[in-house]
Amino acid sequence: MTSSSSPTPKKGVAGRIDYDSWEKRSSELSKQLDDEEEADRKENATALGLDGKHASSQAEAEERAKAKDLEKTKNMLVKYQRREEGVVENLSGLLGSLDEDANTAEEAKHQEVKYVTRDKLGAGKRVINVCDTRGPGKIVLTQDLSNLESATPSNTTLQPKSFKDDAENKEQM
């Protein structure tokens, strides 16, 4: 009788081989191999300059520059819109909304007069936009609206900008 030097496999339930432990070992080794391959791919891509930090062609470089300029322009437009919303007051439906029935609106508001005063404007609003209104009547902008002043104090020490060969340089402010 000869004895072998290799150990016999551990028996599972009812004398069977434990396939679950082999599945666990093989999946661990497979995951480890995949991680190593991914690390190698990243390292090679970085060495070749294909990691996405640099453009691979002139067209791609131009496209990236355009995208960067577009993002700057978009941010500037958003800031402009926020600033504009801060100074514009929208007054809609002063004489009647556009959704009302035409016959009833004309009969009820035949010669209605609406006064727009300082009280109807929000704080810091300097531009009035009358919109979405219909029907006969008058909208009167009162005298107190002509005295709109900026909420921020003016700086009298600042000199206006002047540009070379500009006709407005010689005009007195």
Side-chain angles (χ1 to χ4, degrees), residues 96-123:
S97 69
L98 296 177
D99 297 333
E100 290 181 3
D101 186 16
N103 294 333
T104 59
E106 288 181 25
E107 293 172 7
K109 301 176 182 179
H110 183 62
Q111 289 295 331
E112 187 174 1
V113 177
K114 289 285 187 169
Y115 292 94
V116 178
T117 63
R118 183 103 169 144
D119 297 335
K120 289 192 177 198
L121 299 181

mmCIF file with all atom_site columns, all heavy atoms in Angstrom, residues 96-123:
data_model
loop_
_atom_site.group_PDB
_atom_site.id
_atom_site.type_symbol
_atom_site.label_atom_id
_atom_site.label_alt_id
_atom_site.label_comp_id
_atom_site.label_asym_id
_atom_site.label_entity_id
_atom_site.label_seq_id
_atom_site.pdbx_PDB_ins_code
_atom_site.Cartn_x
_atom_site.Cartn_y
_atom_site.Cartn_z
_atom_site.occupancy
_atom_site.B_iso_or_equiv
_atom_site.pdbx_formal_charge
_atom_site.auth_seq_id
_atom_site.auth_comp_id
_atom_site.auth_asym_id
_atom_site.auth_atom_id
_atom_site.pdbx_PDB_model_num
ATOM 1   N N   . GLY A 1 96  ? -57.267 93.434  -16.074 1.00 0.00 ? 96  GLY A N   1
ATOM 2   C CA  . GLY A 1 96  ? -57.957 92.161  -16.229 1.00 0.00 ? 96  GLY A CA  1
ATOM 3   C C   . GLY A 1 96  ? -57.011 91.155  -16.852 1.00 0.00 ? 96  GLY A C   1
ATOM 4   O O   . GLY A 1 96  ? -56.202 91.491  -17.713 1.00 0.00 ? 96  GLY A O   1
ATOM 5   N N   . SER A 1 97  ? -57.119 89.931  -16.400 1.00 0.00 ? 97  SER A N   1
ATOM 6   C CA  . SER A 1 97  ? -56.203 88.923  -16.928 1.00 0.00 ? 97  SER A CA  1
ATOM 7   C C   . SER A 1 97  ? -56.620 88.494  -18.320 1.00 0.00 ? 97  SER A C   1
ATOM 8   O O   . SER A 1 97  ? -57.753 88.712  -18.751 1.00 0.00 ? 97  SER A O   1
ATOM 9   C CB  . SER A 1 97  ? -56.147 87.714  -15.991 1.00 0.00 ? 97  SER A CB  1
ATOM 10  O OG  . SER A 1 97  ? -57.376 87.032  -16.030 1.00 0.00 ? 97  SER A OG  1
ATOM 11  N N   . LEU A 1 98  ? -55.735 87.854  -19.011 1.00 0.00 ? 98  LEU A N   1
ATOM 12  C CA  . LEU A 1 98  ? -56.018 87.392  -20.370 1.00 0.00 ? 98  LEU A CA  1
ATOM 13  C C   . LEU A 1 98  ? -56.977 86.215  -20.382 1.00 0.00 ? 98  LEU A C   1
ATOM 14  O O   . LEU A 1 98  ? -57.567 85.910  -21.405 1.00 0.00 ? 98  LEU A O   1
ATOM 15  C CB  . LEU A 1 98  ? -54.706 86.988  -21.059 1.00 0.00 ? 98  LEU A CB  1
ATOM 16  C CG  . LEU A 1 98  ? -53.699 88.113  -21.267 1.00 0.00 ? 98  LEU A CG  1
ATOM 17  C CD1 . LEU A 1 98  ? -52.431 87.565  -21.891 1.00 0.00 ? 98  LEU A CD1 1
ATOM 18  C CD2 . LEU A 1 98  ? -54.277 89.202  -22.143 1.00 0.00 ? 98  LEU A CD2 1
ATOM 19  N N   . ASP A 1 99  ? -57.182 85.566  -19.261 1.00 0.00 ? 99  ASP A N   1
ATOM 20  C CA  . ASP A 1 99  ? -58.025 84.374  -19.206 1.00 0.00 ? 99  ASP A CA  1
ATOM 21  C C   . ASP A 1 99  ? -59.503 84.688  -19.021 1.00 0.00 ? 99  ASP A C   1
ATOM 22  O O   . ASP A 1 99  ? -60.345 83.822  -19.242 1.00 0.00 ? 99  ASP A O   1
ATOM 23  C CB  . ASP A 1 99  ? -57.572 83.466  -18.053 1.00 0.00 ? 99  ASP A CB  1
ATOM 24  C CG  . ASP A 1 99  ? -56.157 82.971  -18.260 1.00 0.00 ? 99  ASP A CG  1
ATOM 25  O OD1 . ASP A 1 99  ? -55.733 82.886  -19.427 1.00 0.00 ? 99  ASP A OD1 1
ATOM 26  O OD2 . ASP A 1 99  ? -55.482 82.680  -17.253 1.00 0.00 ? 99  ASP A OD2 1
ATOM 27  N N   . GLU A 1 100 ? -59.851 85.901  -18.612 1.00 0.00 ? 100 GLU A N   1
ATOM 28  C CA  . GLU A 1 100 ? -61.251 86.249  -18.365 1.00 0.00 ? 100 GLU A CA  1
ATOM 29  C C   . GLU A 1 100 ? -62.036 86.288  -19.670 1.00 0.00 ? 100 GLU A C   1
ATOM 30  O O   . GLU A 1 100 ? -61.489 86.530  -20.742 1.00 0.00 ? 100 GLU A O   1
ATOM 31  C CB  . GLU A 1 100 ? -61.349 87.608  -17.685 1.00 0.00 ? 100 GLU A CB  1
ATOM 32  C CG  . GLU A 1 100 ? -60.855 87.612  -16.266 1.00 0.00 ? 100 GLU A CG  1
ATOM 33  C CD  . GLU A 1 100 ? -60.992 88.976  -15.629 1.00 0.00 ? 100 GLU A CD  1
ATOM 34  O OE1 . GLU A 1 100 ? -61.519 89.893  -16.279 1.00 0.00 ? 100 GLU A OE1 1
ATOM 35  O OE2 . GLU A 1 100 ? -60.554 89.119  -14.483 1.00 0.00 ? 100 GLU A OE2 1
ATOM 36  N N   . ASP A 1 101 ? -63.335 86.080  -19.562 1.00 0.00 ? 101 ASP A N   1
ATOM 37  C CA  . ASP A 1 101 ? -64.220 86.165  -20.714 1.00 0.00 ? 101 ASP A CA  1
ATOM 38  C C   . ASP A 1 101 ? -64.251 87.617  -21.200 1.00 0.00 ? 101 ASP A C   1
ATOM 39  O O   . ASP A 1 101 ? -64.400 88.546  -20.414 1.00 0.00 ? 101 ASP A O   1
ATOM 40  C CB  . ASP A 1 101 ? -65.621 85.683  -20.332 1.00 0.00 ? 101 ASP A CB  1
ATOM 41  C CG  . ASP A 1 101 ? -66.560 85.615  -21.517 1.00 0.00 ? 101 ASP A CG  1
ATOM 42  O OD1 . ASP A 1 101 ? -66.069 85.635  -22.668 1.00 0.00 ? 101 ASP A OD1 1
ATOM 43  O OD2 . ASP A 1 101 ? -67.788 85.547  -21.299 1.00 0.00 ? 101 ASP A OD2 1
ATOM 44  N N   . ALA A 1 102 ? -64.165 87.819  -22.511 1.00 0.00 ? 102 ALA A N   1
ATOM 45  C CA  . ALA A 1 102 ? -64.046 89.167  -23.077 1.00 0.00 ? 102 ALA A CA  1
ATOM 46  C C   . ALA A 1 102 ? -65.285 90.012  -22.809 1.00 0.00 ? 102 ALA A C   1
ATOM 47  O O   . ALA A 1 102 ? -65.185 91.207  -22.520 1.00 0.00 ? 102 ALA A O   1
ATOM 48  C CB  . ALA A 1 102 ? -63.780 89.083  -24.570 1.00 0.00 ? 102 ALA A CB  1
ATOM 49  N N   . ASN A 1 103 ? -66.462 89.453  -22.893 1.00 0.00 ? 103 ASN A N   1
ATOM 50  C CA  . ASN A 1 103 ? -67.695 90.238  -22.739 1.00 0.00 ? 103 ASN A CA  1
ATOM 51  C C   . ASN A 1 103 ? -67.867 90.730  -21.306 1.00 0.00 ? 103 ASN A C   1
ATOM 52  O O   . ASN A 1 103 ? -68.195 91.882  -21.073 1.00 0.00 ? 103 ASN A O   1
ATOM 53  C CB  . ASN A 1 103 ? -68.909 89.400  -23.144 1.00 0.00 ? 103 ASN A CB  1
ATOM 54  C CG  . ASN A 1 103 ? -68.881 89.070  -24.626 1.00 0.00 ? 103 ASN A CG  1
ATOM 55  O OD1 . ASN A 1 103 ? -68.302 89.814  -25.403 1.00 0.00 ? 103 ASN A OD1 1
ATOM 56  N ND2 . ASN A 1 103 ? -69.505 87.960  -24.993 1.00 0.00 ? 103 ASN A ND2 1
ATOM 57  N N   . THR A 1 104 ? -67.655 89.869  -20.324 1.00 0.00 ? 104 THR A N   1
ATOM 58  C CA  . THR A 1 104 ? -67.848 90.285  -18.937 1.00 0.00 ? 104 THR A CA  1
ATOM 59  C C   . THR A 1 104 ? -66.769 91.250  -18.482 1.00 0.00 ? 104 THR A C   1
ATOM 60  O O   . THR A 1 104 ? -67.031 92.139  -17.684 1.00 0.00 ? 104 THR A O   1
ATOM 61  C CB  . THR A 1 104 ? -67.871 89.060  -18.000 1.00 0.00 ? 104 THR A CB  1
ATOM 62  O OG1 . THR A 1 104 ? -66.631 88.366  -18.135 1.00 0.00 ? 104 THR A OG1 1
ATOM 63  C CG2 . THR A 1 104 ? -69.023 88.140  -18.335 1.00 0.00 ? 104 THR A CG2 1
ATOM 64  N N   . ALA A 1 105 ? -65.582 91.096  -18.991 1.00 0.00 ? 105 ALA A N   1
ATOM 65  C CA  . ALA A 1 105 ? -64.493 91.989  -18.597 1.00 0.00 ? 105 ALA A CA  1
ATOM 66  C C   . ALA A 1 105 ? -64.726 93.397  -19.113 1.00 0.00 ? 105 ALA A C   1
ATOM 67  O O   . ALA A 1 105 ? -64.473 94.374  -18.413 1.00 0.00 ? 105 ALA A O   1
ATOM 68  C CB  . ALA A 1 105 ? -63.161 91.449  -19.104 1.00 0.00 ? 105 ALA A CB  1
ATOM 69  N N   . GLU A 1 106 ? -65.240 93.524  -20.352 1.00 0.00 ? 106 GLU A N   1
ATOM 70  C CA  . GLU A 1 106 ? -65.469 94.854  -20.918 1.00 0.00 ? 106 GLU A CA  1
ATOM 71  C C   . GLU A 1 106 ? -66.614 95.563  -20.212 1.00 0.00 ? 106 GLU A C   1
ATOM 72  O O   . GLU A 1 106 ? -66.558 96.761  -19.971 1.00 0.00 ? 106 GLU A O   1
ATOM 73  C CB  . GLU A 1 106 ? -65.756 94.739  -22.415 1.00 0.00 ? 106 GLU A CB  1
ATOM 74  C CG  . GLU A 1 106 ? -64.538 94.390  -23.230 1.00 0.00 ? 106 GLU A CG  1
ATOM 75  C CD  . GLU A 1 106 ? -64.839 94.295  -24.706 1.00 0.00 ? 106 GLU A CD  1
ATOM 76  O OE1 . GLU A 1 106 ? -65.809 94.921  -25.174 1.00 0.00 ? 106 GLU A OE1 1
ATOM 77  O OE2 . GLU A 1 106 ? -64.088 93.609  -25.393 1.00 0.00 ? 106 GLU A OE2 1
ATOM 78  N N   . GLU A 1 107 ? -67.662 94.848  -19.887 1.00 0.00 ? 107 GLU A N   1
ATOM 79  C CA  . GLU A 1 107 ? -68.805 95.466  -19.231 1.00 0.00 ? 107 GLU A CA  1
ATOM 80  C C   . GLU A 1 107 ? -68.461 95.920  -17.816 1.00 0.00 ? 107 GLU A C   1
ATOM 81  O O   . GLU A 1 107 ? -68.859 96.997  -17.382 1.00 0.00 ? 107 GLU A O   1
ATOM 82  C CB  . GLU A 1 107 ? -69.975 94.489  -19.192 1.00 0.00 ? 107 GLU A CB  1
ATOM 83  C CG  . GLU A 1 107 ? -70.540 94.183  -20.560 1.00 0.00 ? 107 GLU A CG  1
ATOM 84  C CD  . GLU A 1 107 ? -71.560 93.059  -20.516 1.00 0.00 ? 107 GLU A CD  1
ATOM 85  O OE1 . GLU A 1 107 ? -71.919 92.614  -19.406 1.00 0.00 ? 107 GLU A OE1 1
ATOM 86  O OE2 . GLU A 1 107 ? -71.997 92.644  -21.588 1.00 0.00 ? 107 GLU A OE2 1
ATOM 87  N N   . ALA A 1 108 ? -67.713 95.101  -17.086 1.00 0.00 ? 108 ALA A N   1
ATOM 88  C CA  . ALA A 1 108 ? -67.422 95.411  -15.685 1.00 0.00 ? 108 ALA A CA  1
ATOM 89  C C   . ALA A 1 108 ? -66.360 96.490  -15.541 1.00 0.00 ? 108 ALA A C   1
ATOM 90  O O   . ALA A 1 108 ? -66.408 97.282  -14.610 1.00 0.00 ? 108 ALA A O   1
ATOM 91  C CB  . ALA A 1 108 ? -66.974 94.145  -14.958 1.00 0.00 ? 108 ALA A CB  1
ATOM 92  N N   . LYS A 1 109 ? -65.426 96.542  -16.453 1.00 0.00 ? 109 LYS A N   1
ATOM 93  C CA  . LYS A 1 109 ? -64.291 97.460  -16.302 1.00 0.00 ? 109 LYS A CA  1
ATOM 94  C C   . LYS A 1 109 ? -64.214 98.409  -17.501 1.00 0.00 ? 109 LYS A C   1
ATOM 95  O O   . LYS A 1 109 ? -63.177 98.554  -18.105 1.00 0.00 ? 109 LYS A O   1
ATOM 96  C CB  . LYS A 1 109 ? -62.990 96.663  -16.185 1.00 0.00 ? 109 LYS A CB  1
ATOM 97  C CG  . LYS A 1 109 ? -62.982 95.703  -15.030 1.00 0.00 ? 109 LYS A CG  1
ATOM 98  C CD  . LYS A 1 109 ? -61.719 94.902  -15.033 1.00 0.00 ? 109 LYS A CD  1
ATOM 99  C CE  . LYS A 1 109 ? -61.703 93.898  -13.914 1.00 0.00 ? 109 LYS A CE  1
ATOM 100 N NZ  . LYS A 1 109 ? -60.530 93.083  -13.891 1.00 0.00 ? 109 LYS A NZ  1
ATOM 101 N N   . HIS A 1 110 ? -65.335 99.039  -17.810 1.00 0.00 ? 110 HIS A N   1
ATOM 102 C CA  . HIS A 1 110 ? -65.389 99.838  -19.028 1.00 0.00 ? 110 HIS A CA  1
ATOM 103 C C   . HIS A 1 110 ? -64.397 100.998 -19.004 1.00 0.00 ? 110 HIS A C   1
ATOM 104 O O   . HIS A 1 110 ? -63.642 101.172 -19.946 1.00 0.00 ? 110 HIS A O   1
ATOM 105 C CB  . HIS A 1 110 ? -66.817 100.342 -19.252 1.00 0.00 ? 110 HIS A CB  1
ATOM 106 C CG  . HIS A 1 110 ? -66.968 101.116 -20.511 1.00 0.00 ? 110 HIS A CG  1
ATOM 107 N ND1 . HIS A 1 110 ? -66.737 100.556 -21.743 1.00 0.00 ? 110 HIS A ND1 1
ATOM 108 C CD2 . HIS A 1 110 ? -67.297 102.404 -20.730 1.00 0.00 ? 110 HIS A CD2 1
ATOM 109 C CE1 . HIS A 1 110 ? -66.919 101.467 -22.673 1.00 0.00 ? 110 HIS A CE1 1
ATOM 110 N NE2 . HIS A 1 110 ? -67.267 102.595 -22.085 1.00 0.00 ? 110 HIS A NE2 1
ATOM 111 N N   . GLN A 1 111 ? -64.381 101.766 -17.993 1.00 0.00 ? 111 GLN A N   1
ATOM 112 C CA  . GLN A 1 111 ? -63.464 102.894 -17.921 1.00 0.00 ? 111 GLN A CA  1
ATOM 113 C C   . GLN A 1 111 ? -62.695 102.883 -16.607 1.00 0.00 ? 111 GLN A C   1
ATOM 114 O O   . GLN A 1 111 ? -62.538 103.905 -15.955 1.00 0.00 ? 111 GLN A O   1
ATOM 115 C CB  . GLN A 1 111 ? -64.230 104.215 -18.069 1.00 0.00 ? 111 GLN A CB  1
ATOM 116 C CG  . GLN A 1 111 ? -64.765 104.478 -19.450 1.00 0.00 ? 111 GLN A CG  1
ATOM 117 C CD  . GLN A 1 111 ? -63.640 104.659 -20.467 1.00 0.00 ? 111 GLN A CD  1
ATOM 118 O OE1 . GLN A 1 111 ? -62.556 105.112 -20.137 1.00 0.00 ? 111 GLN A OE1 1
ATOM 119 N NE2 . GLN A 1 111 ? -63.912 104.304 -21.710 1.00 0.00 ? 111 GLN A NE2 1
ATOM 120 N N   . GLU A 1 112 ? -62.189 101.733 -16.243 1.00 0.00 ? 112 GLU A N   1
ATOM 121 C CA  . GLU A 1 112 ? -61.473 101.614 -14.980 1.00 0.00 ? 112 GLU A CA  1
ATOM 122 C C   . GLU A 1 112 ? -60.108 102.303 -15.074 1.00 0.00 ? 112 GLU A C   1
ATOM 123 O O   . GLU A 1 112 ? -59.431 102.224 -16.088 1.00 0.00 ? 112 GLU A O   1
ATOM 124 C CB  . GLU A 1 112 ? -61.285 100.133 -14.646 1.00 0.00 ? 112 GLU A CB  1
ATOM 125 C CG  . GLU A 1 112 ? -60.706 99.907  -13.291 1.00 0.00 ? 112 GLU A CG  1
ATOM 126 C CD  . GLU A 1 112 ? -60.672 98.431  -12.951 1.00 0.00 ? 112 GLU A CD  1
ATOM 127 O OE1 . GLU A 1 112 ? -61.082 97.601  -13.771 1.00 0.00 ? 112 GLU A OE1 1
ATOM 128 O OE2 . GLU A 1 112 ? -60.231 98.129  -11.831 1.00 0.00 ? 112 GLU A OE2 1
ATOM 129 N N   . VAL A 1 113 ? -59.716 102.958 -13.997 1.00 0.00 ? 113 VAL A N   1
ATOM 130 C CA  . VAL A 1 113 ? -58.424 103.632 -13.930 1.00 0.00 ? 113 VAL A CA  1
ATOM 131 C C   . VAL A 1 113 ? -57.614 102.964 -12.823 1.00 0.00 ? 113 VAL A C   1
ATOM 132 O O   . VAL A 1 113 ? -58.057 102.873 -11.688 1.00 0.00 ? 113 VAL A O   1
ATOM 133 C CB  . VAL A 1 113 ? -58.585 105.142 -13.632 1.00 0.00 ? 113 VAL A CB  1
ATOM 134 C CG1 . VAL A 1 113 ? -57.230 105.806 -13.499 1.00 0.00 ? 113 VAL A CG1 1
ATOM 135 C CG2 . VAL A 1 113 ? -59.408 105.803 -14.725 1.00 0.00 ? 113 VAL A CG2 1
ATOM 136 N N   . LYS A 1 114 ? -56.433 102.493 -13.171 1.00 0.00 ? 114 LYS A N   1
ATOM 137 C CA  . LYS A 1 114 ? -55.534 101.871 -12.193 1.00 0.00 ? 114 LYS A CA  1
ATOM 138 C C   . LYS A 1 114 ? -54.334 102.775 -11.996 1.00 0.00 ? 114 LYS A C   1
ATOM 139 O O   . LYS A 1 114 ? -53.718 103.214 -12.970 1.00 0.00 ? 114 LYS A O   1
ATOM 140 C CB  . LYS A 1 114 ? -55.049 100.498 -12.681 1.00 0.00 ? 114 LYS A CB  1
ATOM 141 C CG  . LYS A 1 114 ? -56.106 99.438  -12.684 1.00 0.00 ? 114 LYS A CG  1
ATOM 142 C CD  . LYS A 1 114 ? -56.365 98.981  -11.281 1.00 0.00 ? 114 LYS A CD  1
ATOM 143 C CE  . LYS A 1 114 ? -57.306 97.806  -11.285 1.00 0.00 ? 114 LYS A CE  1
ATOM 144 N NZ  . LYS A 1 114 ? -57.428 97.146  -10.036 1.00 0.00 ? 114 LYS A NZ  1
ATOM 145 N N   . TYR A 1 115 ? -54.013 103.036 -10.748 1.00 0.00 ? 115 TYR A N   1
ATOM 146 C CA  . TYR A 1 115 ? -52.860 103.864 -10.414 1.00 0.00 ? 115 TYR A CA  1
ATOM 147 C C   . TYR A 1 115 ? -51.721 102.968 -9.952  1.00 0.00 ? 115 TYR A C   1
ATOM 148 O O   . TYR A 1 115 ? -51.898 102.126 -9.069  1.00 0.00 ? 115 TYR A O   1
ATOM 149 C CB  . TYR A 1 115 ? -53.205 104.868 -9.310  1.00 0.00 ? 115 TYR A CB  1
ATOM 150 C CG  . TYR A 1 115 ? -54.181 105.920 -9.764  1.00 0.00 ? 115 TYR A CG  1
ATOM 151 C CD1 . TYR A 1 115 ? -55.537 105.758 -9.552  1.00 0.00 ? 115 TYR A CD1 1
ATOM 152 C CD2 . TYR A 1 115 ? -53.730 107.063 -10.409 1.00 0.00 ? 115 TYR A CD2 1
ATOM 153 C CE1 . TYR A 1 115 ? -56.440 106.711 -9.974  1.00 0.00 ? 115 TYR A CE1 1
ATOM 154 C CE2 . TYR A 1 115 ? -54.626 108.024 -10.843 1.00 0.00 ? 115 TYR A CE2 1
ATOM 155 C CZ  . TYR A 1 115 ? -55.981 107.845 -10.622 1.00 0.00 ? 115 TYR A CZ  1
ATOM 156 O OH  . TYR A 1 115 ? -56.857 108.793 -11.049 1.00 0.00 ? 115 TYR A OH  1
ATOM 157 N N   . VAL A 1 116 ? -50.558 103.163 -10.534 1.00 0.00 ? 116 VAL A N   1
ATOM 158 C CA  . VAL A 1 116 ? -49.366 102.441 -10.114 1.00 0.00 ? 116 VAL A CA  1
ATOM 159 C C   . VAL A 1 116 ? -48.547 103.409 -9.275  1.00 0.00 ? 116 VAL A C   1
ATOM 160 O O   . VAL A 1 116 ? -48.058 104.420 -9.774  1.00 0.00 ? 116 VAL A O   1
ATOM 161 C CB  . VAL A 1 116 ? -48.550 101.936 -11.323 1.00 0.00 ? 116 VAL A CB  1
ATOM 162 C CG1 . VAL A 1 116 ? -47.280 101.236 -10.860 1.00 0.00 ? 116 VAL A CG1 1
ATOM 163 C CG2 . VAL A 1 116 ? -49.384 101.007 -12.181 1.00 0.00 ? 116 VAL A CG2 1
ATOM 164 N N   . THR A 1 117 ? -48.448 103.101 -7.999  1.00 0.00 ? 117 THR A N   1
ATOM 165 C CA  . THR A 1 117 ? -47.729 103.968 -7.072  1.00 0.00 ? 117 THR A CA  1
ATOM 166 C C   . THR A 1 117 ? -46.501 103.249 -6.541  1.00 0.00 ? 117 THR A C   1
ATOM 167 O O   . THR A 1 117 ? -46.273 102.079 -6.815  1.00 0.00 ? 117 THR A O   1
ATOM 168 C CB  . THR A 1 117 ? -48.636 104.366 -5.893  1.00 0.00 ? 117 THR A CB  1
ATOM 169 O OG1 . THR A 1 117 ? -48.983 103.184 -5.180  1.00 0.00 ? 117 THR A OG1 1
ATOM 170 C CG2 . THR A 1 117 ? -49.880 105.088 -6.368  1.00 0.00 ? 117 THR A CG2 1
ATOM 171 N N   . ARG A 1 118 ? -45.775 103.969 -5.745  1.00 0.00 ? 118 ARG A N   1
ATOM 172 C CA  . ARG A 1 118 ? -44.563 103.412 -5.133  1.00 0.00 ? 118 ARG A CA  1
ATOM 173 C C   . ARG A 1 118 ? -44.894 102.214 -4.240  1.00 0.00 ? 118 ARG A C   1
ATOM 174 O O   . ARG A 1 118 ? -44.101 101.309 -4.082  1.00 0.00 ? 118 ARG A O   1
ATOM 175 C CB  . ARG A 1 118 ? -43.907 104.519 -4.308  1.00 0.00 ? 118 ARG A CB  1
ATOM 176 C CG  . ARG A 1 118 ? -42.632 104.134 -3.676  1.00 0.00 ? 118 ARG A CG  1
ATOM 177 C CD  . ARG A 1 118 ? -41.529 104.732 -4.456  1.00 0.00 ? 118 ARG A CD  1
ATOM 178 N NE  . ARG A 1 118 ? -40.298 104.589 -3.721  1.00 0.00 ? 118 ARG A NE  1
ATOM 179 C CZ  . ARG A 1 118 ? -39.166 104.371 -4.316  1.00 0.00 ? 118 ARG A CZ  1
ATOM 180 N NH1 . ARG A 1 118 ? -39.119 104.301 -5.615  1.00 0.00 ? 118 ARG A NH1 1
ATOM 181 N NH2 . ARG A 1 118 ? -38.075 104.247 -3.631  1.00 0.00 ? 118 ARG A NH2 1
ATOM 182 N N   . ASP A 1 119 ? -46.099 102.202 -3.686  1.00 0.00 ? 119 ASP A N   1
ATOM 183 C CA  . ASP A 1 119 ? -46.509 101.122 -2.793  1.00 0.00 ? 119 ASP A CA  1
ATOM 184 C C   . ASP A 1 119 ? -46.639 99.778  -3.520  1.00 0.00 ? 119 ASP A C   1
ATOM 185 O O   . ASP A 1 119 ? -46.510 98.731  -2.899  1.00 0.00 ? 119 ASP A O   1
ATOM 186 C CB  . ASP A 1 119 ? -47.846 101.456 -2.126  1.00 0.00 ? 119 ASP A CB  1
ATOM 187 C CG  . ASP A 1 119 ? -47.744 102.700 -1.252  1.00 0.00 ? 119 ASP A CG  1
ATOM 188 O OD1 . ASP A 1 119 ? -46.626 102.993 -0.787  1.00 0.00 ? 119 ASP A OD1 1
ATOM 189 O OD2 . ASP A 1 119 ? -48.769 103.358 -1.050  1.00 0.00 ? 119 ASP A OD2 1
ATOM 190 N N   . LYS A 1 120 ? -46.896 99.804  -4.806  1.00 0.00 ? 120 LYS A N   1
ATOM 191 C CA  . LYS A 1 120 ? -47.048 98.557  -5.565  1.00 0.00 ? 120 LYS A CA  1
ATOM 192 C C   . LYS A 1 120 ? -45.709 97.945  -5.962  1.00 0.00 ? 120 LYS A C   1
ATOM 193 O O   . LYS A 1 120 ? -45.669 96.825  -6.453  1.00 0.00 ? 120 LYS A O   1
ATOM 194 C CB  . LYS A 1 120 ? -47.875 98.803  -6.829  1.00 0.00 ? 120 LYS A CB  1
ATOM 195 C CG  . LYS A 1 120 ? -49.323 99.053  -6.542  1.00 0.00 ? 120 LYS A CG  1
ATOM 196 C CD  . LYS A 1 120 ? -50.147 99.001  -7.797  1.00 0.00 ? 120 LYS A CD  1
ATOM 197 C CE  . LYS A 1 120 ? -51.600 99.189  -7.431  1.00 0.00 ? 120 LYS A CE  1
ATOM 198 N NZ  . LYS A 1 120 ? -52.478 98.746  -8.471  1.00 0.00 ? 120 LYS A NZ  1
ATOM 199 N N   . LEU A 1 121 ? -44.638 98.693  -5.778  1.00 0.00 ? 121 LEU A N   1
ATOM 200 C CA  . LEU A 1 121 ? -43.322 98.208  -6.164  1.00 0.00 ? 121 LEU A CA  1
ATOM 201 C C   . LEU A 1 121 ? -42.606 97.612  -4.962  1.00 0.00 ? 121 LEU A C   1
ATOM 202 O O   . LEU A 1 121 ? -42.747 98.085  -3.843  1.00 0.00 ? 121 LEU A O   1
ATOM 203 C CB  . LEU A 1 121 ? -42.471 99.344  -6.737  1.00 0.00 ? 121 LEU A CB  1
ATOM 204 C CG  . LEU A 1 121 ? -42.994 100.025 -7.988  1.00 0.00 ? 121 LEU A CG  1
ATOM 205 C CD1 . LEU A 1 121 ? -42.016 101.093 -8.435  1.00 0.00 ? 121 LEU A CD1 1
ATOM 206 C CD2 . LEU A 1 121 ? -43.232 99.032  -9.089  1.00 0.00 ? 121 LEU A CD2 1
ATOM 207 N N   . GLY A 1 122 ? -41.826 96.601  -5.228  1.00 0.00 ? 122 GLY A N   1
ATOM 208 C CA  . GLY A 1 122 ? -41.013 96.000  -4.175  1.00 0.00 ? 122 GLY A CA  1
ATOM 209 C C   . GLY A 1 122 ? -39.806 96.879  -3.880  1.00 0.00 ? 122 GLY A C   1
ATOM 210 O O   . GLY A 1 122 ? -39.457 97.795  -4.637  1.00 0.00 ? 122 GLY A O   1
ATOM 211 N N   . ALA A 1 123 ? -39.138 96.597  -2.793  1.00 0.00 ? 123 ALA A N   1
ATOM 212 C CA  . ALA A 1 123 ? -37.970 97.372  -2.396  1.00 0.00 ? 123 ALA A CA  1
ATOM 213 C C   . ALA A 1 123 ? -36.844 97.170  -3.404  1.00 0.00 ? 123 ALA A C   1
ATOM 214 O O   . ALA A 1 123 ? -36.529 96.056  -3.791  1.00 0.00 ? 123 ALA A O   1
ATOM 215 C CB  . ALA A 1 123 ? -37.513 96.944  -1.008  1.00 0.00 ? 123 ALA A CB  1
#
